[in-house]
Amino acid sequence: MKYDDDNMLMLSGIQHFMFCPRQWGLIHLSQEWEDNSLTTEGQLLHKRVDDPFYRQKSGDIITLRSVHIASHTLGLYGMTDAIELSPSDSSTNAIRHPRYLGFWNLLPVEYKRGKQKPDKCDEVQLAAQVMCLEEMYQIQLDYGALFYHEVRRRDLIHIDDKLRKLTRECAEQMHLVFSSGQIPKPVYLPHCKRCSLYDVCLPLVENKIQVSTYLKKYLYEETT
């Protein structure tokens, strides 16, 4: 399936969707947003990173920032934090750049405020960027990188078939939820307390209402 320009969703939202579909729905369907210390620090980090006119050369590596990317197969568009260009001896899976002679390998780099997470949220966002670049340039990329500011650590991530499948499924679910216009129901989990939308989402209150409704419908009515 190919999505047209009118049905493209923000690529950065795939990380929100993986973290919590309800959080994504509140942001992208209800236009809700609340900052906390974590989101503020993340915005400041990206403000320093995101500069579309920035180019840095370190040895043979050239770093480009805020490159616009899109995939009509995933139905996602957005910008990369950074793409590193390294010289290639072959045209295979490499690109030409209008400013630089020769062929160049691509490595997208996503910057994160905190440290490595136990889930796949960050990796799925990175994989979506890789898949956008592959579609745009008709190349195959095996790796992307995540840089975690809190621990000053850079992880090279293998974009394997399993991660690609998860990314495609997540993008499909995003489009289904967006088309329905219905915000997903809350599921209270330990990470809810770290969410900047906790006071908007009210997961504990919403869950209590759902339990009460269930008991009233399926238990109390049957015993009366």
Side-chain angles (χ1 to χ4, degrees):
M1 178 178 179
K2 294 278 188 179
Y3 296 91
D4 59 32
D5 290 341
D6 293 333
N7 291 297
M8 300 285 277
L9 299 176
M10 292 178 62
L11 187 150
S12 59
I14 200 168
Q15 196 266 359
H16 294 139
F17 196 91
M18 276 292 296
F19 177 77
C20 173
R22 180 170 172 83
Q23 183 200 64
W24 179 87
L26 289 169
I27 294 172
H28 295 271
L29 293 176
S30 295
Q31 306 299 308
E32 299 279 1
W33 184 255
E34 294 287 341
D35 284 327
N36 61 14
S37 61
L38 299 181
T39 59
T40 300
E41 288 175 17
Q43 289 167 4
L44 291 173
L45 171 63
H46 281 86
K47 187 175 181 179
R48 292 195 294 270
V49 171
D50 294 338
D51 180 356
F53 301 104
Y54 177 93
R55 292 177 175 83
Q56 177 183 0
K57 194 171 188 300
S58 177
D60 291 331
I61 305 296
I62 298 170
T63 301
L64 309 177
R65 291 184 179 171
S66 300
V67 178
H68 290 271
I69 57 175
S71 165
H72 288 276
T73 302
L74 294 176
L76 301 177
Y77 75 97
M79 289 194 301
T80 64
D81 282 343
I83 294 178
E84 291 183 354
L85 307 180
S86 58
S88 175
D89 294 330
S90 167
S91 62
T92 303
N93 292 321
I95 70 164
R96 288 188 180 274
H97 192 280
R99 280 176 167 257
Y100 310 107
L101 296 176
F103 291 96
W104 299 87
N105 296 316
L106 303 183
L107 180 73
V109 182
E110 176 67 16
Y111 287 76
K112 294 298 180 184
R113 182 209 64 84
K115 55 187 178 181
Q116 298 90 333
K117 302 178 181 65
D119 54 45
K120 294 288 185 180
C121 295
D122 295 342
E123 293 182 22
V124 162
Q125 183 180 0
L126 182 65
Q129 294 178 13
V130 165
M131 294 165 77
C132 285
L133 290 168
E134 289 177 332
E135 184 174 319
M136 291 170 62
Y137 295 107
Q138 296 299 298
I139 57 176
Q140 176 74 33
L141 301 177
D142 294 325
Y143 292 94
L146 293 168
F147 179 83
Y148 290 97
H149 187 262
E150 182 178 327
V151 293
R152 300 287 179 173
R153 173 173 169 175
R154 172 169 165 153
D155 291 341
L156 193 64
I157 306 299
H158 183 211
I159 312 299
D160 58 17
D161 290 341
K162 186 176 180 180
L163 182 55
R164 290 170 185 273
K165 182 175 183 291
L166 178 61
T167 303
R168 284 192 293 269
E169 291 173 348
C170 190
E172 289 172 5
Q173 287 299 312
M174 286 169 63
H175 281 280
L176 288 174
V177 173
F178 190 83
S179 297
S180 75
Q182 300 295 315
I183 297 174
K185 297 294 184 182
V187 177
Y188 183 76
L189 295 169
H191 66 221
C192 288
K193 293 182 179 179
R194 305 198 314 269
C195 178
S196 63
L197 294 179
Y198 182 87
D199 292 334
V200 176
C201 175
L202 299 174
L204 286 175
V205 174
E206 290 284 347
N207 273 307
K208 286 179 181 177
I209 292 173
Q210 291 177 51
V211 171
S212 175
T213 302
Y214 176 88
L215 291 174
K216 182 178 180 180
K217 182 176 181 180
Y218 295 103
L219 181 59
Y220 298 148
E221 288 183 356
E222 292 180 2
T223 57
T224 56

